[in-house]
Amino acid sequence: MPPIPYADVKPKFQDKIDILDPTPGDAEFTEDDVAKLTCEDRTQIYNGLVKSDSVSTLNNIVGPFFSGKCQARIKGTVIDSDGMPVTDAELIVSSGKGSVTRNSRSDLDGRYLCSELPPGKFKLHVTAARHGEKSLSGKAEIGRNTTVTVELGE
């Protein structure tokens, strides 16, 4: 994980940063610092950065902040109008203001998984040759698989 400058986060989240107790003179979050935060603290910091449009900071922290037990995951199946699996559909999930994007493809059984997502609202766009495209939205929860079945060609 690349270190995250405190200057990008500190003014808005002093109470959360105080619990990290950085080394005097330390000017960056490290992986060890992030490990001390609860999932809820991570979500609060992330949401504050989304509101402040700190996109470069967001790109650096999404993986480390929302991995393991703190990540949200979207999984499901892409099917056609007859209920048959759609292979090799392209899925693009974007969260928040579109600041975080994950791509996936459906497998031979139409299944897909998008992980390391921040919790909260998301948009899912699915495209498959000969089946068309569809956009959906929803809400992903911390530490859970949000299951979304996408029917194309309706």
Side-chain angles (χ1 to χ4, degrees), residues 53-131:
D53 293 320
S54 298
V55 175
S56 62
T57 301
L58 286 172
N59 289 334
N60 287 338
I61 71 168
V62 170
F65 263 42
F66 299 110
S67 60
K69 67 180 181 177
C70 293
Q71 72 178 315
R73 294 173 298 276
I74 300 169
K75 71 174 195 164
T77 307
V78 181
I79 58 173
D80 65 16
S81 57
D82 295 324
M84 299 301 296
V86 175
T87 301
D88 204 34
E90 178 183 21
L91 297 102
I92 301 171
V93 179
S94 58
S95 64
K97 295 179 182 178
S99 54
V100 177
T101 303
R102 297 286 184 256
N103 299 321
S104 185
R105 288 207 169 282
S106 60
D107 66 13
L108 291 173
D109 296 318
R111 295 177 302 203
Y112 69 90
L113 172 67
C114 296
S115 59
E116 289 191 2
L117 292 165
K121 294 180 182 180
F122 67 86
K123 292 179 185 174
L124 173 64
H125 185 78
V126 184
T127 307
R130 299 182 307 278
H131 295 283

Side-chain angles (χ1 to χ4, degrees), residues 7 10 12 22 33 41 47 57 62 72 79 82 86 94 101 117 136 141 144 148 151:
K10 194 168 185 169
K12 298 171 194 78
D33 294 332
D41 290 340
N47 288 335
T57 301
V62 170
I79 58 173
D82 295 324
V86 175
S94 58
T101 303
L117 292 165
L136 305 163
E141 303 285 331
R144 294 192 177 174
V148 179
E151 184 176 337

